[in-house]
Amino acid sequence: QFKKLEDKRKNGELAEAKALQERLLPKTLPVIKNLDIAGYLRTSTEVGGDYYDFFEQPDGSLYAICGDATGHGTPSGMLVSITKAGLIGLPLDEPNKMLFDLNRLVKKVDLGILRMSLNIVHFKKNKLKLSSAAMPPCYLYVAKTNKIEEIQISGLPLGGLYGATFDMEERSFSKGDIFVIASDGLPEAPNLKGEQLGYQAVEDCILANAEKTAEEIKDGLVALGSEWLAGQTTPDDITIVVIKHV
C-alpha cells in the first residue's frame, strides 16, 4: 500500500514537471513577414533537457533559440527553466554577447556537472547571425545554388567556464533559403542494430523537401527519425526548428 502511494506521488511530481516544461515552450509560432516557421520537440523521458523558443522583435526581426541540456530528467529540466528565465531577463543583443551573459548566469547558479548547449540565431531582413555554445552543426539551404552548408561553430557549453567567449557567423538569408537547427537526438538516433542515423541523412532529407513549407520539412525530418528508430523509444530528446525565407 505504501509503495502504491509513493509511486502515485512520484508519478504526480513527474507529470507536474512535464507540464511545467511544456509551458516553457512557445504556445504559438511567431507570425513574421517573409518567415515560415516550424518547431518540434519529442522527449525521451517524462522530463527532457531540450528546449526551443522564439523572441519576436518590434523591428520585425526574430531570435530563434534551440538548446540541449546534458542528459534528461528533472535536473536537465531545471537547467532548461534557468536558461529560459535568463533569456527573458537578458537584453536581446548580438547572439554571441547573449551567450556570454547567459553563460555567466548559468555558471553562477552552479548545477555541478550539468551543462547547456545552445544556439541563438537572429534573423533580420535578408541576414542571419548565429552563435553557438557546443551545439551540433546547423543546416543552411541556399535556394540560389540548391546546396546545403553545414555551419559548425565550436565553443564550450553554458556553465563550463567563467568568461568563455563565443564566435558568431553571419550569412545572407534570401527568398527560398532554409535554416534548420536540430539537437543531436536526431542525427544520433539509433536503429535496431545500434547504427546512428547520421548528419548526412538529415541533410539529404532537407534537400529533398526544400520546395515545401517549414511545417512539411519538419514533418519530413520527424518521419525520417521515426522510421530509423523503428518503434523504439528515442534514447535522447529530439528537437527540430525550421525557418524558411518566403
Side-chain angles (χ1 to χ4, degrees):
Q1 185 66 34
F2 175 74
K3 189 177 184 309
K4 261 190 186 171
L5 285 170
E6 187 62 10
D7 286 348
K8 190 179 175 187
R9 180 188 68 77
K10 281 180 183 168
N11 289 337
E13 283 181 4
L14 275 177
E16 279 175 28
K18 185 177 171 64
L20 169 65
Q21 191 156 40
E22 281 166 0
R23 286 201 294 277
L24 295 176
L25 297 174
K27 306 288 175 292
T28 55
L29 294 168
V31 178
I32 292 181
K33 192 185 171 195
N34 298 332
L35 293 181
D36 181 22
I37 300 163
Y40 170 86
L41 196 158
R42 175 180 167 185
T43 58
S44 64
T45 54
E46 284 86 353
V47 183
D50 275 16
Y51 161 65
Y52 74 90
D53 218 336
F54 303 104
F55 297 104
E56 211 174 325
Q57 297 308 291
D59 64 1
S61 72
L62 174 77
Y63 286 88
I65 315 287
C66 184
D68 180 1
T70 41
H72 31 81
T74 311
S76 302
M78 282 169 62
L79 184 47
V80 169
S81 306
I82 290 162
T83 303
K84 167 129 188 172
L87 281 164
I88 290 169
L90 284 176
L92 293 165
D93 203 327
E94 296 284 31
N96 58 339
K97 170 82 169 63
M98 289 171 69
L99 284 177
F100 179 84
D101 292 339
L102 201 54
N103 177 59
R104 202 169 48 197
L105 188 149
V106 171
K107 188 73 182 150
K108 269 186 182 167
V109 175
D110 187 15
L111 290 171
I113 59 165
L114 277 185
R115 300 285 180 268
M116 185 84 192
S117 298
L118 197 78
N119 273 339
I120 301 180
V121 199
H122 187 206
F123 297 87
K124 188 172 183 181
K125 295 183 178 152
N126 289 339
K127 282 210 167 15
L128 68 83
K129 288 179 178 178
L130 161 72
S131 192
S132 179
M135 279 288 278
C138 297
Y139 304 87
L140 174 62
Y141 168 79
V142 180
K144 200 164 65 176
T145 58
N146 193 36
K147 286 199 167 77
I148 289 181
E149 180 193 1
E150 268 193 22
I151 307 176
Q152 173 80 66
I153 302 175
S154 57
L156 292 169
L158 303 178
L161 280 179
Y162 266 121
T165 57
F166 302 89
D167 293 336
M168 189 165 72
E169 295 276 342
E170 195 171 324
R171 295 288 186 279
S172 63
F173 193 61
S174 309
K175 195 175 169 76
D177 292 356
I178 302 158
F179 195 77
V180 178
I181 312 171
S183 63
D184 58 12
L186 179 60
E188 293 177 12
N191 66 6
L192 296 171
K193 294 180 192 166
E195 301 160 332
Q196 291 188 350
L197 174 62
Y199 289 87
Q200 190 58 51
V202 176
E203 197 172 304
D204 293 345
C205 182
I206 297 166
L207 205 51
N209 291 287
E211 296 303 312
K212 298 180 180 174
T213 65
E215 187 73 15
E216 288 168 332
I217 296 163
K218 179 264 289 176
D219 288 344
L221 290 166
V222 170
L224 174 73
S226 296
E227 282 162 27
W228 188 257
L229 284 159
Q232 299 179 96
T233 307
T234 168
D236 195 5
D237 308 329
I238 294 176
T239 304
I240 301 163
V241 172
V242 180
I243 297 175
K244 182 171 185 175
H245 194 304
V246 291

